[in-house]
Amino acid sequence: MARRTGWIRWVVVAALPVVFVFIVVGAYWYGEMQEQGKGLPYAVGAATILGGFGGAVGWSVNHARRRSAGSDVGLPPLASATDEKIRFGDADPVTSLGVHQAVLAADQSDHDPFIPHVTHGLDALTPYMPRGHDKRIQEAIRPAATGNASVLVMVTGDSSTGKTRALYEALRYLAPDRVVLRPSDAASLLEQLRAGRVNDQTVLWLNEAQRFFDRSHSEEAAVCLRELLVKQIGIIAVGTLWPQPWEKLTRPGSEGDPHSHVRDVLTLPQVTVHVRVPDHLSEDEQKKWRALAEKQGDQRMIDALNAAKSDGRIVQHLSGGPELLQAFLDGPNQHFTYVEHALLTAAIDARRLGHRTPLSAKLLADAADGTIISKKRLAERDWARKALTALSTGERDNQQRTDIRCTLTALTTVRTASGAEALYEPADYLDQRLRTIRADQLGSASLWQALLDHTTDPDDLSSLADAAKHRGLLQHAARLYHRAILAQHPHAACELVGLLSSDTDPHQHGSCWAAAHTSLTDPVSVTWLLMSLHEKGQKDATDLLLARDFAVDVNLSDLWAVSRQLLILDAARQSQAVAELAARAANDAPLTDAGDVARLLKALHEVEQNDAVAELAARAANDAPLTDPWNVVLLLKALHEVEQNDAIAQVLARNPAAEVAVTDAGDVARLLKALHEVEQNDAVAELAARAANDAPLTDPWNVVLLLEALC
């Protein structure tokens, strides 16, 4: 019997490596299949049955899940985000929607490659505890989700405070069957809006909304989004922002400033709801958190609670943000190697200084190499690639780790297309917190040179030039503005001219170059440039700019800017340019906003382009939207001022009383008065009846205006 037992023991021991390899490979294969969207429930069952090999299974499945969550260099291309039609309820919260994954519990994430089995499952997210802001989000979304008034919900708060998760939980409950639309940038958002893809069967997901509201095409996209939200019912759009970008984009400015249309849609009371997420949990919320964690047996929640005893920032600790920040602040040769820390610093400073698109490996390598002392430089040609891979996957070649508890990586990887070069972004918790901590750092000389050599995005070039100017690095600023002009950034020429003076540009060479090369597509920017050149007495540059063909190149999407430009050209006695631009505007200007059309009519009348006035008035009378009551008032007044009585009659014949939205009682009151003044008694009666039944009575002042108009 003893010999037989020994023989059996020998067979079992010999078979262990084979079974072990089978489990590891099988678990890894399961993760790959999950990444491709193929459900294999029996694979989980097999891993559970073979629980005696928990360490290996835990590591392999967790590694596969980390890959599918996006920490590996094999992230899906950005382009795919707008091509797939995915039900919101089926969307992966981490890889598709940007919800932060919870780090592993402290006792589940040592640096040994064989991580112990996760006791409470491998789900990326912890159980959810609703808070006060969750109720406000649901209350804002519910009407649109049931086919009533459209809504844009903007959730603001510091990084890793739960903004995206709150929106995910609300929509998973209220609109799980809608298709989620995830544009990649402002141009993509504009394309989707113009193509009519945003409707009452979709959710427009604008996570990290600075990508959509603070870039080129943002103003055009904001105009389209506002029109859609006001005109149609059942539209759900949601977005997140940090407090600083929110303040920048919503800060009141003069008419015609760069963010006027964005600010309009973000602060529009009829459709936009702003919800703030606190950066900490109250004492009562912490008690509820502990009760939920203990009930669910989730050690990750308990660890986050214990780590946040001093400040209540539990949600941040849940994602590993404070630990990652401390690892960076500890400096090189601690958690990060000297080279890793240099590359990470370059990424953080590049983002902080204005490079908002993902960063190339070459840019980061050149920036970091200039800060690494000679004896710390590595001999391998692919030194940067290895370090960037370690920072973005969490694992070095020697199986040591760079991430926080095998989950949160310092860099994330994105690709613009399958097979494209990997690009990198710093973890957003590092990005936000280090903006303040490193605010007094100019950035290394090698970083500025790398930014100049490798930045191609016109918005990034302009932002970096602004940062250089504000830090007194005027030579860098001028060179970056120069490159931004060549990249067709509309505002860069005006900024470059502002840097020049009679001392630095005595012969106007710089100003003339800017006037000759600036893009004419943005009428706002051209107007500012003309004003700047005129104020500086740069006659040669002004004449050169005025000699260019405005009528052909100017983008007509911003009618306020076109109106302003007509007036400036007229003041400069550029009669030919005025006539050509007026004719083009009258024939081709978009009629999407009746208020802007009214402004353009007045400008055409002021520069005495009567034929253009008649043409635009006829177009507006037939086709301008009559859904916004205040815009209808503006259009009727403008048509009266430019003496286009036939157009007025045509507008009234379209019965705006039946078309306008009654979501703003004050604007309805103003339209009632305007209709009464032109003796449209039937229209007054119809609109009064609609307003009495449906106009919101939440604003006391608007209610007073409405009652006065009805009496």
Side-chain angles (χ1 to χ4, degrees), residues 346-400:
I348 289 165
D349 282 349
R351 179 57 59 88
R352 174 175 62 88
L353 294 170
H355 196 299
R356 286 176 278 185
T357 56
L359 298 146
S360 70
K362 181 61 174 171
L363 188 158
L364 294 174
D366 287 355
D369 195 41
T371 65
I372 301 173
I373 60 176
S374 179
K375 66 179 182 179
K376 295 291 185 179
R377 288 189 172 129
L378 302 177
E380 299 96 327
R381 287 184 176 273
D382 61 347
W383 63 273
R385 182 193 62 78
K386 288 184 177 180
L388 289 170
T389 299
L391 289 169
S392 59
T393 64
E395 188 173 2
R396 301 187 182 103
D397 287 348
N398 60 6
Q399 295 186 334
Q400 292 181 342

Short mmCIF file of all heavy atoms in Angstrom, two decimals, residues 346-400:
data_model
loop_
_atom_site.label_atom_id
_atom_site.label_comp_id
_atom_site.label_asym_id
_atom_site.label_seq_id
_atom_site.Cartn_x
_atom_site.Cartn_y
_atom_site.Cartn_z
N ALA A 346 7.70 64.28 -18.25
CA ALA A 346 7.51 64.91 -19.56
C ALA A 346 6.05 64.87 -19.99
O ALA A 346 5.51 65.85 -20.50
CB ALA A 346 8.41 64.23 -20.59
N ALA A 347 5.40 63.72 -19.78
CA ALA A 347 3.99 63.60 -20.17
C ALA A 347 3.11 64.53 -19.34
O ALA A 347 2.20 65.19 -19.87
CB ALA A 347 3.54 62.15 -20.00
N ILE A 348 3.36 64.58 -18.04
CA ILE A 348 2.56 65.42 -17.15
C ILE A 348 2.74 66.90 -17.49
O ILE A 348 1.77 67.66 -17.58
CB ILE A 348 2.94 65.14 -15.69
CG1 ILE A 348 2.43 63.75 -15.28
CG2 ILE A 348 2.39 66.22 -14.77
CD1 ILE A 348 3.04 63.23 -14.01
N ASP A 349 3.99 67.32 -17.71
CA ASP A 349 4.24 68.73 -18.01
C ASP A 349 3.73 69.11 -19.40
O ASP A 349 3.24 70.23 -19.60
CB ASP A 349 5.73 69.05 -17.88
CG ASP A 349 6.17 69.20 -16.43
OD1 ASP A 349 5.28 69.27 -15.56
OD2 ASP A 349 7.38 69.24 -16.18
N ALA A 350 3.85 68.21 -20.37
CA ALA A 350 3.33 68.51 -21.70
C ALA A 350 1.83 68.73 -21.65
O ALA A 350 1.30 69.68 -22.25
CB ALA A 350 3.68 67.38 -22.67
N ARG A 351 1.12 67.88 -20.92
CA ARG A 351 -0.32 68.04 -20.78
C ARG A 351 -0.64 69.33 -20.02
O ARG A 351 -1.56 70.07 -20.38
CB ARG A 351 -0.90 66.82 -20.07
CG ARG A 351 -2.40 66.85 -19.84
CD ARG A 351 -3.20 67.03 -21.11
NE ARG A 351 -2.97 65.99 -22.07
CZ ARG A 351 -3.65 64.84 -22.12
NH1 ARG A 351 -4.60 64.60 -21.23
NH2 ARG A 351 -3.39 63.96 -23.04
N ARG A 352 0.10 69.58 -18.96
CA ARG A 352 -0.14 70.78 -18.14
C ARG A 352 0.07 72.07 -18.94
O ARG A 352 -0.65 73.05 -18.75
CB ARG A 352 0.81 70.74 -16.93
CG ARG A 352 0.79 71.98 -16.05
CD ARG A 352 1.68 71.76 -14.83
NE ARG A 352 3.07 71.54 -15.19
CZ ARG A 352 3.96 72.51 -15.35
NH1 ARG A 352 3.60 73.78 -15.20
NH2 ARG A 352 5.22 72.23 -15.64
N LEU A 353 1.02 72.05 -19.86
CA LEU A 353 1.35 73.25 -20.63
C LEU A 353 0.44 73.45 -21.84
O LEU A 353 0.51 74.50 -22.48
CB LEU A 353 2.82 73.20 -21.08
CG LEU A 353 3.85 73.27 -19.95
CD1 LEU A 353 5.24 72.96 -20.47
CD2 LEU A 353 3.81 74.64 -19.28
N GLY A 354 -0.38 72.45 -22.18
CA GLY A 354 -1.35 72.68 -23.23
C GLY A 354 -1.42 71.65 -24.33
O GLY A 354 -2.22 71.79 -25.26
N HIS A 355 -0.61 70.59 -24.27
CA HIS A 355 -0.66 69.53 -25.29
C HIS A 355 -1.77 68.56 -24.88
O HIS A 355 -1.54 67.62 -24.16
CB HIS A 355 0.68 68.81 -25.39
CG HIS A 355 0.83 67.99 -26.64
ND1 HIS A 355 0.00 66.95 -26.96
CD2 HIS A 355 1.72 68.08 -27.67
CE1 HIS A 355 0.38 66.41 -28.11
NE2 HIS A 355 1.40 67.09 -28.57
N ARG A 356 -2.96 68.78 -25.41
CA ARG A 356 -4.12 68.03 -24.93
C ARG A 356 -4.40 66.76 -25.72
O ARG A 356 -5.17 65.92 -25.27
CB ARG A 356 -5.35 68.95 -24.91
CG ARG A 356 -5.30 69.95 -23.76
CD ARG A 356 -6.47 70.90 -23.81
NE ARG A 356 -6.23 71.99 -24.74
CZ ARG A 356 -7.05 73.02 -24.89
NH1 ARG A 356 -8.16 73.08 -24.21
NH2 ARG A 356 -6.77 73.98 -25.75
N THR A 357 -3.83 66.61 -26.89
CA THR A 357 -3.99 65.36 -27.62
C THR A 357 -2.97 64.35 -27.09
O THR A 357 -1.99 64.72 -26.44
CB THR A 357 -3.77 65.57 -29.13
OG1 THR A 357 -2.49 66.16 -29.34
CG2 THR A 357 -4.85 66.49 -29.70
N PRO A 358 -3.18 63.05 -27.32
CA PRO A 358 -2.23 62.05 -26.85
C PRO A 358 -0.82 62.31 -27.37
O PRO A 358 -0.63 62.84 -28.47
CB PRO A 358 -2.81 60.74 -27.40
CG PRO A 358 -4.27 61.00 -27.52
CD PRO A 358 -4.39 62.43 -27.94
N LEU A 359 0.18 61.91 -26.58
CA LEU A 359 1.58 62.24 -26.82
C LEU A 359 2.30 61.09 -27.51
O LEU A 359 2.14 59.93 -27.14
CB LEU A 359 2.27 62.57 -25.50
CG LEU A 359 1.68 63.78 -24.76
CD1 LEU A 359 1.77 63.58 -23.26
CD2 LEU A 359 2.39 65.05 -25.17
N SER A 360 3.14 61.42 -28.48
CA SER A 360 3.89 60.39 -29.18
C SER A 360 5.08 59.93 -28.35
O SER A 360 5.61 60.67 -27.50
CB SER A 360 4.38 60.91 -30.53
OG SER A 360 5.39 61.90 -30.36
N ALA A 361 5.53 58.73 -28.62
CA ALA A 361 6.70 58.19 -27.92
C ALA A 361 7.94 59.02 -28.23
O ALA A 361 8.79 59.23 -27.35
CB ALA A 361 6.92 56.73 -28.33
N LYS A 362 8.07 59.51 -29.46
CA LYS A 362 9.23 60.30 -29.84
C LYS A 362 9.27 61.62 -29.08
O LYS A 362 10.34 62.04 -28.61
CB LYS A 362 9.20 60.55 -31.36
CG LYS A 362 10.39 61.34 -31.89
CD LYS A 362 11.70 60.61 -31.65
CE LYS A 362 12.85 61.36 -32.33
NZ LYS A 362 14.18 60.79 -31.94
N LEU A 363 8.13 62.26 -28.94
CA LEU A 363 8.08 63.51 -28.18
C LEU A 363 8.52 63.27 -26.74
O LEU A 363 9.36 64.01 -26.19
CB LEU A 363 6.67 64.09 -28.23
CG LEU A 363 6.46 65.50 -27.66
CD1 LEU A 363 5.19 66.13 -28.27
CD2 LEU A 363 6.33 65.53 -26.14
N LEU A 364 7.96 62.24 -26.11
CA LEU A 364 8.29 61.96 -24.71
C LEU A 364 9.75 61.57 -24.56
O LEU A 364 10.42 61.98 -23.60
CB LEU A 364 7.37 60.86 -24.18
CG LEU A 364 5.89 61.23 -24.06
CD1 LEU A 364 5.07 60.01 -23.66
CD2 LEU A 364 5.69 62.36 -23.07
N ALA A 365 10.26 60.78 -25.50
CA ALA A 365 11.66 60.35 -25.41
C ALA A 365 12.60 61.54 -25.52
O ALA A 365 13.56 61.67 -24.75
CB ALA A 365 11.95 59.32 -26.51
N ASP A 366 12.36 62.42 -26.49
CA ASP A 366 13.24 63.59 -26.67
C ASP A 366 13.16 64.52 -25.46
O ASP A 366 14.18 65.06 -25.01
CB ASP A 366 12.85 64.35 -27.93
CG ASP A 366 13.26 63.63 -29.20
OD1 ASP A 366 13.93 62.58 -29.10
OD2 ASP A 366 12.90 64.11 -30.29
N ALA A 367 11.95 64.71 -24.93
CA ALA A 367 11.79 65.59 -23.78
C ALA A 367 12.48 65.01 -22.55
O ALA A 367 13.16 65.73 -21.79
CB ALA A 367 10.31 65.82 -23.50
N ALA A 368 12.32 63.71 -22.33
CA ALA A 368 12.89 63.08 -21.14
C ALA A 368 14.41 62.97 -21.24
O ALA A 368 15.12 63.18 -20.25
CB ALA A 368 12.27 61.70 -20.94
N ASP A 369 14.90 62.65 -22.42
CA ASP A 369 16.34 62.41 -22.57
C ASP A 369 17.16 63.63 -22.19
O ASP A 369 18.26 63.52 -21.66
CB ASP A 369 16.65 61.99 -24.01
CG ASP A 369 18.03 61.38 -24.14
OD1 ASP A 369 18.43 60.59 -23.25
OD2 ASP A 369 18.73 61.69 -25.12
N GLY A 370 16.62 64.81 -22.45
CA GLY A 370 17.34 66.02 -22.11
C GLY A 370 17.44 66.28 -20.63
O GLY A 370 18.24 67.13 -20.19
N THR A 371 16.64 65.57 -19.82
CA THR A 371 16.67 65.77 -18.37
C THR A 371 17.40 64.65 -17.64
O THR A 371 17.58 64.73 -16.42
CB THR A 371 15.23 65.86 -17.82
OG1 THR A 371 14.57 64.60 -18.01
CG2 THR A 371 14.44 66.94 -18.53
N ILE A 372 17.80 63.61 -18.37
CA ILE A 372 18.48 62.47 -17.74
C ILE A 372 19.98 62.71 -17.76
O ILE A 372 20.56 62.97 -18.82
CB ILE A 372 18.14 61.16 -18.48
CG1 ILE A 372 16.63 60.91 -18.48
CG2 ILE A 372 18.87 59.98 -17.85
CD1 ILE A 372 16.19 59.73 -19.32
N ILE A 373 20.60 62.65 -16.61
CA ILE A 373 22.05 62.86 -16.56
C ILE A 373 22.76 61.71 -17.26
O ILE A 373 22.23 60.61 -17.40
CB ILE A 373 22.54 63.00 -15.11
CG1 ILE A 373 22.23 61.73 -14.31
CG2 ILE A 373 21.91 64.21 -14.44
CD1 ILE A 373 22.77 61.76 -12.88
N SER A 374 23.98 61.96 -17.70
CA SER A 374 24.69 61.04 -18.58
C SER A 374 24.80 59.63 -18.00
O SER A 374 24.56 58.64 -18.68
CB SER A 374 26.08 61.59 -18.89
OG SER A 374 26.80 60.71 -19.71
N LYS A 375 25.13 59.53 -16.74
CA LYS A 375 25.37 58.21 -16.16
C LYS A 375 24.08 57.41 -15.96
O LYS A 375 24.13 56.20 -15.71
CB LYS A 375 26.11 58.33 -14.84
CG LYS A 375 25.34 59.01 -13.72
CD LYS A 375 26.20 59.06 -12.46
CE LYS A 375 25.43 59.70 -11.30
NZ LYS A 375 26.24 59.73 -10.07
N LYS A 376 22.93 58.07 -16.08
CA LYS A 376 21.65 57.38 -15.93
C LYS A 376 21.04 56.97 -17.27
O LYS A 376 20.04 56.28 -17.31
CB LYS A 376 20.65 58.27 -15.18
CG LYS A 376 21.03 58.57 -13.74
CD LYS A 376 20.92 57.32 -12.87
CE LYS A 376 21.17 57.66 -11.41
NZ LYS A 376 21.06 56.47 -10.54
N ARG A 377 21.66 57.43 -18.37
CA ARG A 377 21.10 57.09 -19.68
C ARG A 377 21.37 55.61 -19.98
O ARG A 377 22.41 55.06 -19.64
CB ARG A 377 21.71 57.97 -20.76
CG ARG A 377 21.20 59.41 -20.70
CD ARG A 377 21.64 60.21 -21.90
NE ARG A 377 20.99 61.52 -21.91
CZ ARG A 377 21.61 62.67 -22.05
NH1 ARG A 377 22.93 62.69 -22.22
NH2 ARG A 377 20.94 63.80 -22.06
N LEU A 378 20.39 55.00 -20.66
CA LEU A 378 20.47 53.58 -20.97
C LEU A 378 21.07 53.36 -22.35
O LEU A 378 20.96 54.20 -23.24
CB LEU A 378 19.07 52.95 -20.91
CG LEU A 378 18.34 53.11 -19.56
CD1 LEU A 378 16.95 52.51 -19.64
CD2 LEU A 378 19.15 52.47 -18.44
N ALA A 379 21.70 52.20 -22.54
CA ALA A 379 22.39 51.91 -23.79
C ALA A 379 21.45 51.38 -24.87
O ALA A 379 21.73 51.51 -26.06
CB ALA A 379 23.52 50.91 -23.54
N GLU A 380 20.35 50.76 -24.46
CA GLU A 380 19.46 50.13 -25.45
C GLU A 380 18.82 51.18 -26.35
O GLU A 380 18.42 52.25 -25.90
CB GLU A 380 18.34 49.34 -24.75
CG GLU A 380 18.85 48.21 -23.87
CD GLU A 380 18.96 48.63 -22.42
OE1 GLU A 380 19.26 49.84 -22.18
OE2 GLU A 380 18.72 47.79 -21.54
N ARG A 381 18.69 50.85 -27.62
CA ARG A 381 18.06 51.77 -28.56
C ARG A 381 16.58 51.96 -28.25
O ARG A 381 16.01 53.03 -28.50
CB ARG A 381 18.23 51.26 -30.00
CG ARG A 381 19.64 51.41 -30.55
CD ARG A 381 19.70 50.97 -32.01
NE ARG A 381 21.02 51.20 -32.56
CZ ARG A 381 21.42 52.33 -33.11
NH1 ARG A 381 20.59 53.35 -33.16
NH2 ARG A 381 22.63 52.47 -33.61
N ASP A 382 15.94 50.92 -27.74
CA ASP A 382 14.51 51.01 -27.46
C ASP A 382 14.23 51.28 -25.99
O ASP A 382 13.23 50.83 -25.43
CB ASP A 382 13.81 49.72 -27.90
CG ASP A 382 14.32 48.49 -27.17
OD1 ASP A 382 15.37 48.59 -26.51
OD2 ASP A 382 13.67 47.43 -27.27
N TRP A 383 15.12 52.04 -25.35
CA TRP A 383 14.98 52.33 -23.93
C TRP A 383 13.64 53.01 -23.62
O TRP A 383 12.97 52.68 -22.64
CB TRP A 383 16.12 53.21 -23.44
CG TRP A 383 16.16 54.57 -24.09
CD1 TRP A 383 16.77 54.90 -25.26
CD2 TRP A 383 15.54 55.76 -23.61
NE1 TRP A 383 16.58 56.23 -25.55
CE2 TRP A 383 15.83 56.79 -24.55
CE3 TRP A 383 14.77 56.08 -22.50
CZ2 TRP A 383 15.38 58.10 -24.40
CZ3 TRP A 383 14.33 57.40 -22.33
CH2 TRP A 383 14.63 58.39 -23.28
N ALA A 384 13.25 53.95 -24.47
CA ALA A 384 12.01 54.68 -24.20
C ALA A 384 10.79 53.77 -24.38
O ALA A 384 9.84 53.82 -23.59
CB ALA A 384 11.90 55.90 -25.11
N ARG A 385 10.81 52.93 -25.42
CA ARG A 385 9.68 52.04 -25.66
C ARG A 385 9.47 51.10 -24.48
O ARG A 385 8.34 50.89 -24.04
CB ARG A 385 9.90 51.24 -26.94
CG ARG A 385 8.72 50.31 -27.27
CD ARG A 385 9.08 49.31 -28.35
NE ARG A 385 10.15 48.42 -27.93
CZ ARG A 385 9.98 47.38 -27.11
NH1 ARG A 385 8.79 47.12 -26.59
NH2 ARG A 385 11.01 46.62 -26.78
N LYS A 386 10.56 50.53 -23.96
CA LYS A 386 10.43 49.62 -22.83
C LYS A 386 9.85 50.32 -21.60
O LYS A 386 8.98 49.78 -20.91
CB LYS A 386 11.80 49.02 -22.50
CG LYS A 386 12.30 48.00 -23.51
CD LYS A 386 13.62 47.39 -23.06
CE LYS A 386 14.08 46.31 -24.03
NZ LYS A 386 15.37 45.70 -23.62
N ALA A 387 10.35 51.52 -21.34
CA ALA A 387 9.87 52.25 -20.16
C ALA A 387 8.42 52.68 -20.33
O ALA A 387 7.62 52.61 -19.39
CB ALA A 387 10.76 53.46 -19.90
N LEU A 388 8.05 53.13 -21.53
CA LEU A 388 6.67 53.53 -21.78
C LEU A 388 5.72 52.34 -21.69
O LEU A 388 4.59 52.46 -21.20
CB LEU A 388 6.56 54.20 -23.15
CG LEU A 388 7.21 55.59 -23.26
CD1 LEU A 388 7.25 56.05 -24.71
CD2 LEU A 388 6.45 56.61 -22.41
N THR A 389 6.18 51.19 -22.17
CA THR A 389 5.36 49.98 -22.05
C THR A 389 5.16 49.62 -20.58
O THR A 389 4.05 49.25 -20.16
CB THR A 389 6.03 48.82 -22.79
OG1 THR A 389 6.15 49.14 -24.17
CG2 THR A 389 5.22 47.54 -22.65
N ALA A 390 6.22 49.74 -19.79
CA ALA A 390 6.10 49.45 -18.35
C ALA A 390 5.12 50.40 -17.67
O ALA A 390 4.32 50.00 -16.83
CB ALA A 390 7.47 49.52 -17.69
N LEU A 391 5.18 51.68 -18.06
CA LEU A 391 4.30 52.67 -17.44
C LEU A 391 2.85 52.52 -17.87
O LEU A 391 1.94 52.89 -17.13
CB LEU A 391 4.79 54.08 -17.79
CG LEU A 391 6.09 54.53 -17.12
CD1 LEU A 391 6.60 55.82 -17.75
CD2 LEU A 391 5.91 54.71 -15.62
N SER A 392 2.61 51.99 -19.06
CA SER A 392 1.25 51.89 -19.58
C SER A 392 0.61 50.53 -19.35
O SER A 392 -0.62 50.41 -19.37
CB SER A 392 1.22 52.24 -21.07
OG SER A 392 2.06 51.37 -21.80
N THR A 393 1.43 49.49 -19.15
CA THR A 393 0.87 48.16 -18.86
C THR A 393 0.96 47.81 -17.39
O THR A 393 0.24 46.94 -16.90
CB THR A 393 1.61 47.06 -19.65
OG1 THR A 393 2.97 47.00 -19.20
CG2 THR A 393 1.57 47.33 -21.14
N GLY A 394 1.87 48.48 -16.68
CA GLY A 394 2.06 48.20 -15.26
C GLY A 394 3.10 47.14 -14.98
O GLY A 394 3.37 46.83 -13.82
N GLU A 395 3.74 46.60 -16.02
CA GLU A 395 4.66 45.48 -15.81
C GLU A 395 5.96 45.70 -16.58
O GLU A 395 5.94 46.00 -17.78
CB GLU A 395 4.01 44.17 -16.26
CG GLU A 395 4.82 42.94 -15.91
CD GLU A 395 4.06 41.66 -16.23
OE1 GLU A 395 2.94 41.75 -16.75
OE2 GLU A 395 4.60 40.59 -15.95
N ARG A 396 7.08 45.56 -15.87
CA ARG A 396 8.39 45.66 -16.50
C ARG A 396 8.81 44.31 -17.07
O ARG A 396 8.19 43.29 -16.79
CB ARG A 396 9.44 46.15 -15.49
CG ARG A 396 9.13 47.51 -14.87
CD ARG A 396 10.30 47.99 -14.01
NE ARG A 396 9.99 49.27 -13.38
CZ ARG A 396 9.63 49.43 -12.11
NH1 ARG A 396 9.55 48.36 -11.30
NH2 ARG A 396 9.37 50.63 -11.63
N ASP A 397 9.89 44.32 -17.85
CA ASP A 397 10.40 43.07 -18.42
C ASP A 397 10.78 42.06 -17.34
O ASP A 397 10.70 40.85 -17.54
CB ASP A 397 11.61 43.35 -19.31
CG ASP A 397 11.21 44.00 -20.63
OD1 ASP A 397 10.01 44.02 -20.93
OD2 ASP A 397 12.10 44.52 -21.33
N ASN A 398 11.24 42.56 -16.18
CA ASN A 398 11.65 41.67 -15.10
C ASN A 398 10.50 41.25 -14.19
O ASN A 398 10.71 40.72 -13.11
CB ASN A 398 12.75 42.34 -14.26
CG ASN A 398 12.27 43.64 -13.63
OD1 ASN A 398 11.10 44.00 -13.70
ND2 ASN A 398 13.21 44.35 -13.01
N GLN A 399 9.27 41.53 -14.63
CA GLN A 399 8.02 41.17 -13.93
C GLN A 399 7.76 42.01 -12.69
O GLN A 399 6.78 41.78 -11.98
CB GLN A 399 7.97 39.68 -13.59
CG GLN A 399 7.93 38.78 -14.82
CD GLN A 399 7.73 37.33 -14.47
OE1 GLN A 399 8.07 36.88 -13.38
NE2 GLN A 399 7.17 36.56 -15.40
N GLN A 400 8.60 42.99 -12.40
CA GLN A 400 8.26 43.97 -11.38
C GLN A 400 7.18 44.90 -11.92
O GLN A 400 7.01 45.03 -13.14
CB GLN A 400 9.50 44.78 -10.97
CG GLN A 400 10.55 43.96 -10.24
CD GLN A 400 11.74 44.80 -9.84
OE1 GLN A 400 11.96 45.89 -10.37
NE2 GLN A 400 12.53 44.30 -8.90
#
